[in-house]
Amino acid sequence: MPESGQKTTRGHIAEPAPAGPGAASAPAARRAGLLVTLVLGGLTALPPLSMDMYLPALPDVTRSLTAPAATVQLTLTACLAGMALGQLVVGPMSDKWGRRRPLLAGMVVYVLATAVCAFAPSAELLIAFRLLQGLAGAAGIVIARAVVRDLYDGVEMARFFSTLMLISGVAPVIAPLIGGQILRITDWRGVFHVLAVIGVLLTLVVWRFLHETLPPGRRQEGGVGQALRTMRGLLADRVFTGYMLSGGLAFAALFAYISASPFVVQEIYGASPQTFSLLFGLNSVGLVAVGQVNGKLLVGRVSLDKALGAGLCVILLASTALLLMTTGVFGEVGLVPIAAGLFVLMSAMGLAMPNTNAQALMRTPHAAGSASALLGTSSFLIGAVASPLVGVAGEHTAVPMAVVQLSCAVAALACFLLMCRPWRSPLRGPGDDA
């Protein structure tokens, strides 16, 4: 792989110093590594917080702005679309101007857009600024991945992605709980006030502690045309595209679960909202826990492709079991077997997601921002396409959810095997057909 020896385990957030790896003491390296994890974890957690803290407030927004529920739902769609499209813009910008300036600009715009959302007098204005909020918040997602690529390589990058999941994976679990508590003392506008404060604090932390990680000599030249040519070159790399599609399709199976599980667990199997929240949290804990097993135990002992392949196979088996159960092959099944299948499927994401990111980004040291943008945008777009399909047969059957998950799992595994060809040498570089 090109530049495979360029960067190893530099656990600090500054430009490479001329001193050797042993220049920093072990305690200082550990402190710097913890700081890198917290800062980048905060950046990747901000978009899920922006989406999920707002969920309990949707009925309140509908009443307050006297808008139809379908219109208010567009505030979620706008934010999600902004996060997907924003990555395509910010990623190439960070390859041209470095990581720090686009990230700080995005954070400032995020804070301003969030503040306007808090005072929006109409649903239309709220939708518009939720779109802007998503566009700006995308900077944190895409640049965090690019910074990881700047600082780490090889198994250390995969290990760091797994550690990052410990923070970013908790955000979707606690966000609705935080939003619900905020609504106990204020209205829906208070949710955006809190998000604006979080944005200000995170902006200050980034400004103070996150120094530039992309030296001028490694930046891309040119404008929009060059950015498009860079992305076209990345997509022409069969192996990179294979990892991108494998990760995006696995993420789509996760989106199908998130979209359908409230109806499956509560409407079909009669669980209470409290039971649903408990199961949702348990599944998220499984994802984070397996991610930590991947980073702490498997990476360095097992090849990334083997761990990724195992994760995709488990997702395939779990989705197959869910389809068999929901179609009645095993007779009438209760909530417990369905919940167990969803838990296994979600937990296996802890193997699939960090390793697809690591393998794809290891091939792109020359354009980590653009590569990160493609990875993030493809995941959001594929997930957005798969998500509505879980409701095509109504709210009283779980079969569409299982069908979508199984289809995504089969396609993800096929892309991995046919395009990435994991049995080939791991040292091949972009453009190699071997």
Side-chain angles (χ1 to χ4, degrees):
M1 186 181 70
E3 302 183 38
S4 59
Q6 179 183 14
K7 286 181 173 61
T8 53
T9 58
R10 291 194 306 273
H12 50 80
I13 12 180
E15 289 189 22
S25 66
R30 282 194 295 272
R31 288 194 299 271
L34 176 61
L35 184 59
V36 130
T37 304
L38 293 177
V39 173
L40 299 184
L43 290 173
T44 55
L46 187 60
L49 286 175
S50 303
M51 288 288 294
D52 297 339
M53 271 179 64
Y54 176 66
L55 292 178
L58 287 179
D60 193 11
V61 177
T62 301
R63 290 188 296 269
S64 174
L65 299 180
T66 60
T71 302
V72 174
Q73 286 283 351
L74 289 177
T75 62
L76 295 176
T77 305
C79 189
L80 183 62
M83 290 179 190
L85 298 176
Q87 295 184 62
L88 288 177
V89 177
V90 178
M93 286 173 59
S94 73
D95 282 337
K96 181 178 181 180
W97 292 312
R99 314 301 184 204
R100 183 175 163 85
R101 283 189 292 171
L103 177 56
L104 286 172
M107 293 301 300
V108 170
V109 174
Y110 173 89
V111 171
L112 295 175
T114 304
V116 174
C117 287
F119 297 99
S122 67
E124 291 74 19
L125 190 63
L126 182 59
I127 291 170
F129 278 89
R130 283 285 278 175
L131 176 64
L132 183 59
Q133 185 191 42
L135 287 167
I141 306 175
V142 66
I143 292 180
R145 277 195 302 260
V147 168
V148 173
R149 182 61 189 94
D150 293 340
L151 298 176
Y152 297 93
D153 198 4
V155 297
E156 289 300 325
M157 180 166 55
R159 187 171 288 130
F160 191 90
F161 273 125
S162 294
T163 303
L164 206 59
M165 288 184 65
L166 183 61
I167 298 176
S168 59
V170 171
V173 180
I174 65 171
L177 301 177
I178 297 173
Q181 295 305 310
I182 293 172
L183 293 176
R184 293 171 69 93
I185 58 176
T186 183
D187 62 3
W188 64 271
R189 299 181 187 275
V191 174
F192 288 107
H193 288 135
V194 172
L195 284 172
V197 171
I198 293 173
V200 168
L201 294 176
L202 192 54
T203 302
L204 293 175
V205 170
V206 168
W207 176 76
R208 174 64 180 84
F209 295 107
L210 187 60
H211 304 297
E212 184 56 64
T213 60
L214 186 67
R218 293 183 54 224
R219 296 178 187 175
Q220 298 284 316
E221 298 295 334
V224 175
Q226 178 61 39
L228 293 176
R229 285 190 292 272
T230 298
M231 288 188 175
R232 186 169 63 245
L234 292 172
L235 293 174
D237 176 11
R238 185 198 67 243
V239 180
F240 171 84
T241 303
Y243 286 123
M244 181 188 74
L245 291 176
S246 297
L249 289 162
F251 195 66
L254 173 63
F255 257 62
Y257 157 76
I258 292 174
S259 300
S261 59
F263 301 104
V264 171
V265 174
Q266 296 180 79
E267 300 296 329
I268 300 176
Y269 292 96
S272 66
Q274 291 74 25
T275 300
F276 167 71
S277 298
L278 177 63
L279 292 176
F280 192 91
L282 184 63
N283 290 339
S284 298
V285 169
L287 186 153
V288 172
V290 173
Q292 297 314 294
V293 170
N294 177 70
K296 304 298 183 184
L297 298 180
L298 298 182
V299 172
R301 296 179 175 88
V302 178
S303 75
L304 300 185
D305 277 334
K306 286 183 179 178
L308 170 57
L312 293 177
C313 287
V314 172
I315 294 171
L316 177 63
L317 292 174
S319 57
T320 302
L322 285 167
L323 181 60
L324 293 175
M325 286 188 286
T326 55
T327 52
V329 172
F330 301 129
E332 192 72 24
V333 298
L335 176 60
V336 173
I338 296 294
L342 291 172
F343 176 80
V344 173
L345 185 145
M346 279 285 288
S347 298
M349 297 290 174
L351 291 175
M353 293 166 63
N355 290 321
T356 50
N357 283 334
Q359 289 288 67
L361 288 172
M362 270 195 285
R363 300 181 62 81
T364 58
H366 58 290
S370 296
S372 177
L374 288 173
L375 290 172
T377 300
S378 63
S379 294
F380 275 99
L381 291 181
I382 297 174
V385 170
S387 182
L389 299 178
V390 300
V392 294
E395 301 174 1
H396 303 293
T397 174
V399 173
M401 176 193 74
V403 169
V404 170
Q405 290 173 331
L406 180 58
S407 301
C408 290
V410 170
L413 189 59
C415 289
F416 175 59
L417 294 176
L418 297 177
M419 300 180 71
C420 301
R421 300 178 186 178
W423 56 87
R424 302 281 188 172
S425 169
L427 298 178
R428 67 193 187 284
D432 292 346
D433 292 326

